[in-house]
């Protein structure tokens, strides 16, 4: 792809979107061409143009900014016409928003000269683009995972023992038999299969041919090859729009302009021209209303539509340059006409949509000036300034979100800019490396639109920052946009939006795949934990003893980090500060309680380091335990030649036979582990560490590593079910252990009663905190134990941080779809049929836009509720004392006709009619929480979420929470 020269003609909003994405993708050169000059309407969709550029050439004004996106791509501007000598210099030519005669002339030349040719257009809410030992052998998966192959795929084999001919056979076509097996070639003359093997899909090349634009256009009028975008049966509408686009070219040619905004007269003219085309094409299913709507908005220029079509078209350029993925064949139409004002809002007039000679004219042409004023007053919270966040901020600046009096965008991102960000986060440049993403992004969009009101934060949005992002903060918002790279953070933010009844726009990408989700209070379901299960849970026994993929060793390393440097330290602090901690831990069950309390006792006893040398010693013994002793014990229980009761080798399929490692100070990975583990261990105890490897090696020489002998009495579970049964069998033994642990903990005497440990919150993006150093070394050593290919730091960070990687084309398209939903939210659309969730794959032309699911409801005492409902209680009115428990029970009874039988705050029981809680009735709710939950209510906390149960419907599994406002 780095050898391709690309021409992109037309530097309005769509053209610059495509150019930006293609430059970030990394072709050899991009030439941008435009003969026109900057007009007011260009500022609503072209993010590199400023008011000072009015009257100047669009290509020249865009060249400098585009050149700074990727130093490895040569960018130049051309302001003359596209003649044949000039066109012949390129391998790919892209025309945007160009006249039909120009498309035909250039398309014919490109087709005859083997130049890839792409046409992209957007008109208001509508966009389009086009691009010219058996026979057979049976393979069975021996682990729990299905193969996920389909008929006709080709695979390569590796790591097979016995039938080694397959390892060098080359790509083999498969035929699927079921989810766990498939057939391959004739293996009847191969060696006997013994065990093992990995099947990997091999992509096969295919030669495709395309019709020239003039031929495709003639045939398409009567029989268009449309790529179907699944969206509530819009296929007929898109066939009508195909003809409407051709009619629009005729209209423009005849009147030298596009239809006036909201002109009913022009709309009827366009319908008449389209009907004439229908007669010629013998098409009798014209959607006249769609053509009218198309005409009413055709003079508009919307940044979100340009972003979506620009992302798709740029991906086609990437395909044309690289030969990877399947190109579009041959036309694609997209419309979002459901974004228009609903009938209940009245009909927009021509005057309301007429140009104002302002930067938003392209948008006013579609929505009118009143809506533009409403957009400017919005207060939005953007969480994440990475790939999608940058694209959203660009769109916010172009549409004017929060760019007026009373409006504001708050963007938060705690990460700094790394070099790897530059290929997809276009607001950042080389000079910004090391800067804070939120601050740099905020400054960049203010350059695009100087009227933007934007506040940059560097906070993680999580329970620890609830003193910043309080109920009052959310109350002042109009909505939230989630541009996050992991599922856990999305789930938390979604909970905040539901709690505070705020709409949320959410989007994510995975390479060429992307999704969008719109969450509307009292209308749609939320993101919720149920939609966050994209990653399959890895069985515990696989993690503990039988990993076979690098993802398994990285998850194991994350678990080690959480257990050693976070959870145990938190447990110690809880033990030291909460007298009920032991009792509460015992209530969680004997098995878990033994594990937790043993960890607490070790940390405050024999494993408490007194100095840096003790931390190094601990790390060395940890290394021996994890990579030698545990593996030797496993092989003692299951020797390499172990045979199962079925007569099959135990170590086969997904069970890779491990081997112990021997510590070597000259091995870089071994020392990486020691340095990271020792420093982290020191950090949780407040001991200053060191990176000096020579000093650490000197300390290691004096470390006495305990001798280890595998025990025959040890039993290792092979499956999670066996592990569960084993835990049941150990119950009596654990009870005895538990009693002894409780006695030992009671006898502990601390010299410093104020001592507290320092739990480590995993942070992948700080290269100086040893977190990723530990994860990479821990995972790769484990991988070495099991002969699993290791992962470098970048790949490890993606997996361990549960990051969803991004590419520029997909993020642009997803941000565009999110902002189309934003239009609907700001207008206040209340019909769920207006909204769309999106699922796309730019590699395979998979586009599905679907109506969101309605928020599910449940019944309590005959009344219907949804997740958006709650019992909101103002706990302290101005000048009055805080409400007591007795008053709260009375409030619920009088206002909601429900009798409370129980109140729960987290795991604490605040009130139960089955217990004698009369002494609590006069307590304020704050004092009640303090008494029952044994914890203080932080000064910053403005809301308590309390779960009730009711006499009227005690069997109900789901009830609305009581949201109790403290202020």
């Amino acid at each position: 792809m780095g050898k391709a020269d690309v021409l992109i003609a037309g530097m309005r909003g769509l053209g610059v979107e495509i150019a930006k994405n293609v430059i970030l993708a990394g072709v050899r050169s991009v030439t941008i061409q435009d003969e026109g000059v900057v007009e007011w309407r260009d500022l609503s969709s072209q993010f590199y143009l400023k008011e000072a550029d009015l009257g100047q050439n669009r290509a020249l004004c865009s060249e400098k900014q585009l050149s700074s996106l990727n130093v490895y791509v040569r960018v130049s501007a051309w302001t003359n016409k596209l003649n044949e000598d000039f066109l012949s210099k390129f391998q790919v030519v892209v025309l945007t928003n160009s006249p039909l005669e120009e498309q035909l002339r250039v398309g014919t030349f490109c087709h005859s000269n083997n130049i890839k040719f792409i046409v992209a257009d957007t008109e208001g809410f509508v966009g389009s683009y086009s691009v010219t030992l058996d026979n057979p052998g049976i393979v069975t998966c021996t682990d729990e995972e299905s193969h996920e192959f389909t008929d006709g795929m080709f695979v390569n084999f590796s790591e097979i023992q016995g039938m080694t001919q397959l390892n060098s056979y080359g790509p083999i076509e498969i035929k699927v038999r079921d989810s766990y097996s498939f057939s391959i070639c004739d293996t009847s003359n191969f060696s006997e299969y013994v065990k093992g093997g990995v099947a990997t899909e091999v992509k096969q090349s295919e030669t495709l041919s395309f019709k020239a634009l003039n031929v495709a256009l003639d045939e398409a009028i009567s029989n268009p090859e449309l790529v179907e975008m699944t969206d509530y049966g819009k296929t007929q509408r898109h066939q009508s729009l195909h003809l409407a686009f051709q009619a629009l070219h005729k209209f423009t040619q005849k009147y030298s302009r596009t239809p006036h905004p909201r002109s009913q007269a022009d709309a009827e003219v366009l319908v008449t021209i389209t009907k004439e085309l229908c007669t010629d094409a013998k098409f009798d299913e014209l959607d006249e209303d769609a053509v009218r709507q198309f005409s009413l908005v055709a003079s508009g220029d919307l940044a979100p539509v340009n972003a979506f079509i620009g992302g798709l078209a740029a991906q086609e350029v990437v395909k044309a340059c690289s030969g990877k993925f399947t190109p579009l064949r041959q036309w694609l139409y997209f419309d979002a006409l459901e974004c228009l004002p609903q009938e209940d809002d009245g009909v927009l007039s021509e005057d309301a949509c007429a140009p104002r000679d302002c930067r938003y004219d392209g948008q006013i042409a579609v929505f009118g000036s009143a809506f533009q004023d409403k957009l400017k007053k919005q207060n939005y919270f953007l969480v994440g300034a990475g790939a999608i966040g940058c694209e959203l901020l660009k769109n916010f600046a172009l549409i004017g979100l929060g760019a007026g009096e009373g409006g504001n965008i708050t963007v938060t991102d705690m990460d700094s800019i790394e070099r790897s960000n530059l290929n997809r986060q276009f607001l950042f440049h080389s000079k910004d490396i090391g800067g804070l993403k939120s601050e740099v992004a905020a400054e960049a969009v203010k350059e695009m639109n100087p009227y933007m009101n934007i506040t940059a934060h560097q906070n993680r949005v999580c329970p620890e920052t609830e003193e910043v992002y309080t109920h009052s903060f959310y109350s002042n918002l109009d909505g939230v946009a989630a541009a996050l790279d992991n599922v856990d953070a999305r789930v938390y933010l979604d909970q905040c939006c539901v709690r505070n009844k705020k709409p949320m726009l959410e989007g994510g990408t995975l390479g060429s795949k992307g999704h969008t989700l719109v969450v509307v209070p009292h209308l749609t379901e939320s993101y919720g934990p149920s939609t966050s299960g994209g990653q399959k849970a890895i069985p515990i026994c696989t993690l503990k003893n039988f990993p076979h993929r690098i993802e398994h060793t990285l998850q194991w390393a994350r678990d080690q980090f959480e257990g050693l440097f976070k959870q145990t330290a938190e447990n110690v602090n809880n033990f030291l500060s909460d007298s009920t901690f032991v009792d509460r831990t015992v209530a969680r069950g004997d098995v878990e309680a033994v594990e937790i309390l043993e960890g607490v006792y070790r940390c405050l006893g024999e494993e408490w380091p007194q100095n840096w040398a003790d931390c190094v010693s601990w790390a060395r013994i940890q290394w021996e335990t994890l990579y030698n002793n545990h593996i030797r014990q496993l092989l003692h229980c299951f020797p390499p030649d172990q045979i199962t009761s079925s007569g099959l080798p135990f170590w086969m399929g997904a069970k890779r036979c491990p081997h112990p490692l021997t510590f070597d100070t000259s091995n870089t990975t071994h020392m990486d582990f020691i340095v990271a583990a020792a420093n982290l261990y020191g950090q949780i105890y407040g001991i200053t560490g060191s990176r000096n490897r020579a000093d650490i090696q000197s300390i290691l020489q004096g470390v006495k590593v305990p001798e280890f002998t595998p025990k025959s009495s040890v039993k290792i579970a092979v499956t999670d079910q066996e592990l569960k049964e084993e835990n049941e069998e150990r119950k009596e033994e654990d009870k005895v252990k538990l009693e002894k642990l409780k006695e030992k903990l009671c006898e502990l005497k601390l010299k410093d009663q104020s001592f507290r440990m320092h739990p480590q919150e995993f942070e992948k993006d700080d290269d100086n905190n040893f977190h990723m150093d530990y994860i990479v070394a821990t995972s790769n050593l484990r991988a070495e134990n099991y002969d699993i290919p290791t992962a470098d730091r970048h790949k490890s960070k993606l997996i361990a941080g549960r990051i969803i990687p991004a590419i520029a084309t997909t993020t642009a398209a997803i941000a565009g779809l999110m902002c189309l939903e934003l239009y609907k939210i700001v207008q206040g659309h209340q019909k769920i049929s207006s909204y769309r969730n999106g699922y796309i794959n730019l590699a395979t032309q998979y586009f599905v836009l679907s109506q969101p699911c309605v928020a599910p409801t449940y019944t309590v005492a005959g009344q219907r509720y949804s997740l958006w409902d709650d019992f909101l209680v103002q706990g302290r009115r101005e000048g009055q004392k805080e409400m007591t428990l007795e008053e709260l029970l009375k409030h619920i009874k009088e206002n909601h006709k429900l009798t409370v039988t129980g109140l729960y705050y987290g795991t604490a029981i605040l009130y139960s009619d089955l217990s004698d809680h009369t002494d609590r009735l006069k307590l304020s709710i704050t004092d009640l929480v303090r008494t029952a939950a044994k914890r203080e209510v932080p000064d910053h906390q403005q809301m308590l979420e309390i779960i009730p149960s009711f006499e009227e419907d005690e069997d109900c599994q789901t009830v609305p929470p009581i949201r109790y406002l403290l202020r």
Side-chain angles (χ1 to χ4, degrees):
M1 193 164 76
K3 296 181 179 179
D5 299 306
V6 179
L7 169 66
I8 300 172
M11 280 295 107
R12 291 189 185 275
L14 179 58
V16 80
E17 278 284 353
I18 298 171
K20 176 254 298 178
N21 295 330
V22 171
I23 291 166
L24 289 173
V27 297
R28 180 166 61 190
S29 74
V30 170
T31 299
I32 54 175
Q33 183 272 347
D34 200 314
E35 297 175 68
V37 297
V38 179
E39 303 170 6
W40 275 111
R41 67 190 295 267
D42 295 325
L43 303 186
S44 65
S45 62
Q46 218 279 41
F47 43 88
Y48 286 143
L49 299 179
K50 301 178 176 63
E51 292 182 20
D53 297 325
L54 290 167
Q56 299 181 53
N57 179 269
R58 278 189 291 262
L60 292 175
C61 290
S62 306
E63 180 184 9
K64 182 179 178 181
Q65 295 275 28
L66 287 170
S67 298
S68 67
L69 289 177
N70 189 338
V71 295
Y72 301 104
V73 177
R74 189 173 67 254
V75 179
S76 57
W78 180 261
T79 60
N80 297 320
K81 292 187 180 298
L82 299 176
N83 57 54
E84 293 184 354
D85 288 341
F86 182 67
L87 290 169
S88 63
K89 299 176 181 179
F90 303 97
Q91 287 78 54
V92 183
V93 171
V94 182
L95 296 188
T96 67
N97 298 109
S98 54
L100 180 59
E101 55 270 25
E102 179 83 341
Q103 295 176 12
L104 293 171
R105 179 181 70 82
V106 175
T108 301
F109 175 80
C110 289
H111 190 77
S112 61
N113 287 274
N114 200 30
I115 298 171
K116 283 88 170 180
F117 179 57
I118 299 169
V119 175
D121 281 314
T122 59
E123 308 290 347
F125 274 123
V126 183
S128 76
Y129 73 100
S130 63
V131 184
T132 66
L133 284 141
D134 199 355
N135 186 15
I138 304 299
V139 179
T140 303
C141 299
T142 56
D143 56 13
E144 298 87 356
E145 296 182 20
S146 60
H147 52 68
E148 297 184 1
F149 293 146
T150 57
D151 281 348
M153 281 186 174
F154 286 76
V155 299
N156 273 339
F157 288 96
S158 60
E159 300 184 35
I160 292 178
Q161 297 180 37
M163 195 181 288
T164 55
Q165 294 93 333
L166 280 177
N167 290 333
S168 57
Y169 196 90
I172 302 172
E173 187 173 4
I174 68 168
K175 185 172 183 180
V176 173
R177 299 174 77 241
D178 56 41
S179 297
Y180 298 92
S181 66
F182 54 88
S183 62
I184 54 173
C185 59
D186 181 0
T187 61
S188 55
N189 294 320
F190 290 177
S191 307
E192 187 79 15
Y193 173 78
V194 177
K195 65 176 182 178
V198 176
T200 306
E201 182 190 356
V202 179
K203 298 289 186 182
Q204 297 295 295
S205 61
E206 182 180 356
T207 301
L208 302 172
S209 59
F210 293 83
K211 297 167 185 173
L213 182 60
N214 58 337
V215 175
L217 194 59
D218 290 341
E219 293 182 4
I221 288 177
S222 58
N223 185 27
E225 287 186 61
L226 298 181
V227 172
E228 184 172 352
M229 181 174 290
T230 305
D231 184 359
Y232 285 101
K234 283 187 178 179
T235 301
Q236 181 182 334
R237 179 190 289 182
H238 289 169
Q239 289 176 327
S240 297
L241 290 175
H242 181 77
L243 294 167
F245 260 96
Q246 314 314 316
L248 180 63
H249 284 298
K250 290 181 178 292
F251 183 104
T252 304
Q253 192 174 30
K254 182 176 181 180
Y255 298 103
S256 300
R257 62 173 176 85
T258 56
H260 288 308
R262 290 286 154 181
S263 169
Q264 298 294 334
D266 283 356
E268 293 309 317
V269 172
L270 192 69
V271 169
T272 300
I273 298 172
T274 309
K275 283 181 176 179
E276 292 171 359
L277 291 174
C278 287
T279 302
D280 296 339
K282 298 180 180 178
F283 178 69
D284 56 6
E285 297 181 1
L286 181 67
D287 185 340
E288 292 188 24
D289 286 339
V291 177
R292 286 189 184 91
Q293 285 184 309
F294 173 61
S295 177
L296 297 177
V297 301
S299 61
D301 195 5
L302 299 177
V305 178
N306 288 332
F308 179 68
I309 295 296
L312 271 59
Q315 187 65 43
E316 294 305 312
V317 175
V318 172
K319 293 175 187 178
C321 296
S322 66
K324 294 181 179 178
F325 306 124
T326 307
L328 176 82
R329 301 187 69 185
Q330 181 137 20
W331 302 89
L332 180 140
Y333 285 89
F334 164 78
D335 79 83
L337 294 172
E338 64 278 356
C339 290
L340 290 170
Q342 296 180 330
E343 293 177 5
D344 299 343
D345 299 327
V347 178
L348 286 171
S349 65
E350 287 188 54
D351 182 60
C353 299
R356 263 65 174 171
D357 286 343
C358 76
R359 65 182 304 115
Y360 307 115
D361 275 355
Q363 190 163 257
I364 289 172
V366 176
F367 291 109
S369 57
F371 176 71
Q372 187 61 54
D373 293 338
K374 193 173 183 180
L375 272 174
K376 291 178 184 178
K377 295 175 183 176
Q378 295 292 299
N379 274 279
Y380 256 75
F381 184 29
L382 172 60
V383 185
I388 293 178
C390 283
E391 291 289 339
L392 286 173
L393 282 171
K394 171 207 69 184
N395 286 321
F396 292 172
L398 292 173
I399 69 177
L401 188 75
E405 186 176 349
N408 189 70
I409 305 294
T410 300
V411 56
T412 188
D413 195 309
M414 63 182 299
D415 289 349
S416 298
I417 298 164
E418 301 177 14
R419 186 167 295 280
S420 61
N421 300 146
L422 304 185
N423 72 336
R424 59 191 183 276
Q425 298 173 20
F426 82 105
L427 295 181
F428 308 141
H429 303 90
S430 297
K431 64 181 176 63
D432 301 319
I433 292 173
L436 293 166
K437 285 185 177 180
S438 60
E439 290 184 355
V440 174
E443 287 302 316
V445 295
K446 287 181 81 170
E447 282 285 313
M448 291 180 188
N449 184 346
Y451 303 101
M452 286 291 287
N453 301 309
I454 186 163
T455 306
H457 290 182
Q458 294 81 46
N459 304 314
R460 187 196 302 272
V461 179
C462 61
E464 288 73 25
T465 56
E466 286 181 358
E467 63 181 290
V468 178
Y469 305 117
T470 61
H471 173 68
S472 296
F473 173 82
Y474 282 100
S475 296
N476 292 323
L477 295 176
D478 293 297
V480 174
L484 293 156
D485 60 7
N486 71 87
V487 169
D488 295 340
R490 290 172 180 159
V491 171
Y492 174 77
L493 186 60
D494 174 68
Q495 291 169 350
C496 294
C497 290
V498 171
R499 189 182 306 131
N500 294 282
K501 299 182 176 61
K502 296 299 174 184
M504 183 177 82
L505 299 162
E506 190 275 325
T509 65
L510 183 65
S512 62
K513 300 174 184 175
H515 78 271
T516 62
L517 176 79
V518 58
V519 176
V520 184
H522 304 291
L523 194 63
T524 72
E525 66 177 3
S526 69
Y527 183 87
S530 61
T531 62
S532 64
Q535 297 171 328
K536 295 179 182 177
I538 304 169
I540 295 172
C541 285
T542 298
L543 289 176
K544 288 184 71 171
N545 297 307
F546 308 113
H548 53 91
R549 296 168 57 186
I550 195 66
E551 288 83 357
H552 300 160
T553 67
L554 280 162
Q555 181 62 57
W556 180 81
R558 272 299 306 270
D559 292 347
Q560 290 289 317
F561 181 96
E562 295 292 318
L564 292 170
F565 308 121
K566 181 175 184 285
Q567 291 167 358
T568 301
E570 289 175 343
N571 291 335
V572 167
N573 289 347
N574 286 331
F575 168 75
L576 295 174
S577 60
D578 183 357
S579 60
T580 67
F581 172 74
V582 173
D583 292 336
R584 288 193 290 108
T585 302
V586 170
R588 296 166 72 168
D590 295 344
V591 175
E592 189 176 355
V594 167
E595 183 180 341
I596 291 171
L597 297 182
E598 275 185 343
V600 170
Y601 185 72
R602 283 197 311 271
C603 285
L604 295 176
E606 61 189 30
E607 293 187 0
W608 190 336
Q610 301 304 306
N611 50 46
W612 170 236
D614 286 351
C615 296
V616 175
S617 177
W618 175 87
R620 173 65 185 87
I621 293 169
Q622 271 286 307
W623 191 101
E624 196 71 17
T625 301
L626 296 175
Y627 305 113
N628 186 284
N629 299 353
H630 282 177
I631 302 300
R632 286 166 61 196
Q633 181 65 61
L634 181 61
L635 291 173
H636 182 77
C637 295
F638 304 108
D641 56 357
Q642 174 95 358
I643 300 297
T644 67
S645 58
S646 304
L648 296 171
F650 177 84
W651 295 105
M652 67 176 294
K655 291 188 179 70
R656 305 174 79 101
C657 185
H659 63 274
L661 305 182
T662 302
F663 185 73
D664 181 358
T665 55
S666 64
N667 186 300
T668 302
T669 310
H670 293 196
M671 285 301 296
D672 286 346
F673 176 90
I674 299 294
V675 173
N679 274 279
L680 287 168
Y681 200 60
Q683 286 174 20
I684 62 175
Y685 282 96
I687 296 172
T688 303
S690 169
R691 291 181 181 271
N692 191 314
R693 297 200 173 208
D695 288 349
I696 294 172
Q697 287 177 341
S698 178
I699 296 171
L700 287 170
Q701 291 176 6
V703 176
K704 292 182 179 179
V705 178
E707 291 290 329
F708 174 79
T709 303
K711 297 179 177 65
S712 297
S713 59
V714 173
K715 183 180 178 182
I716 295 177
V718 177
T719 65
D720 284 7
Q721 182 59 35
E722 283 185 21
L723 183 63
K724 188 176 179 181
E725 293 168 1
E726 193 178 295
N727 289 338
E728 286 293 320
E729 293 171 6
R730 279 173 33 204
K731 272 191 172 180
E732 288 306 315
E733 182 185 335
D734 284 336
K735 284 185 186 299
V736 175
K737 274 187 181 179
L738 207 49
E739 289 307 313
K740 290 182 178 178
L741 276 168
K742 288 164 72 175
E743 290 175 13
K744 288 180 178 179
L745 288 168
C746 286
E747 294 168 0
L748 273 176
K749 303 294 182 185
L750 297 185
K751 293 178 182 178
D752 181 3
Q753 295 297 320
S754 65
F755 170 78
R756 294 294 183 271
M757 297 186 75
H758 307 280
Q760 298 295 297
E761 191 73 41
F762 179 69
E763 174 48 57
K764 66 185 181 348
D765 291 317
D766 183 347
D767 290 335
N768 297 312
N769 63 8
F770 296 101
H771 294 192
M772 277 310 302
D773 297 339
Y774 177 83
I775 295 294
V776 175
T778 303
S779 169
N780 283 342
L781 288 168
R782 178 92 163 160
E784 190 179 340
N785 275 139
Y786 286 85
D787 294 315
I788 297 168
T790 58
D792 62 18
R793 189 182 184 92
H794 179 67
K795 183 178 179 182
S796 297
K797 183 186 285 191
L798 290 176
I799 299 171
R802 298 183 178 91
I803 300 170
I804 303 171
I807 57 176
T809 51
T810 317
T811 54
I814 288 300
L817 290 177
M818 291 172 70
C819 288
L820 289 174
E821 299 309 304
L822 174 66
Y823 281 147
K824 303 168 189 176
I825 289 172
V826 174
Q827 290 178 87
H829 284 201
Q830 286 303 309
K831 293 180 181 176
I832 199 167
S833 58
S834 293
Y835 292 96
R836 295 290 185 271
N837 291 337
Y839 307 89
I840 65 174
N841 186 345
L842 302 190
T844 60
Q845 295 97 52
Y846 178 80
F847 307 99
V848 175
L849 299 174
S850 62
Q851 181 176 300
C853 294
V854 176
T857 59
Y858 52 89
T859 303
V860 178
Q863 183 73 32
R864 301 294 292 176
Y865 298 95
S866 79
L867 70 115
W868 295 104
D869 293 310
D870 58 24
F871 302 119
L872 191 65
V873 178
Q874 185 67 53
R876 182 188 284 114
R877 299 189 184 279
E878 199 169 329
Q880 296 180 359
K881 289 183 178 180
E882 187 188 344
M883 184 179 283
T884 64
L885 170 59
E886 187 175 41
E887 289 169 336
L888 175 62
L889 301 181
K890 183 180 178 182
H891 176 89
I892 297 297
K893 181 66 176 177
E894 291 178 351
N895 289 274
H896 302 286
K897 308 297 185 287
L898 293 168
T899 304
V900 176
T901 57
L903 292 174
Y904 309 90
Y905 182 69
T907 58
I909 300 173
L910 301 183
Y911 169 76
S912 173
D913 65 352
L914 299 176
S915 303
D916 183 10
H917 282 162
T918 53
D919 59 323
R920 296 183 177 183
L921 291 174
K922 300 300 182 183
L923 292 177
S924 71
I925 299 303
T926 303
D927 288 339
L928 176 62
V929 169
R930 188 181 295 118
T931 301
K934 301 291 192 294
R935 71 178 77 164
E936 293 293 327
V937 177
D939 291 338
H940 66 263
Q941 192 161 344
Q942 298 177 354
M943 179 193 289
L944 298 174
E945 188 161 311
I946 300 170
I947 305 301
S949 61
F950 301 112
E951 180 183 281
E952 289 80 2
D953 206 337
E954 290 190 323
D955 294 331
C956 188
Q957 297 296 309
T958 306
V959 295
I962 295 172
R963 294 203 166 106
Y964 180 86
L965 298 178
L966 295 166
R967 56 185 64 85

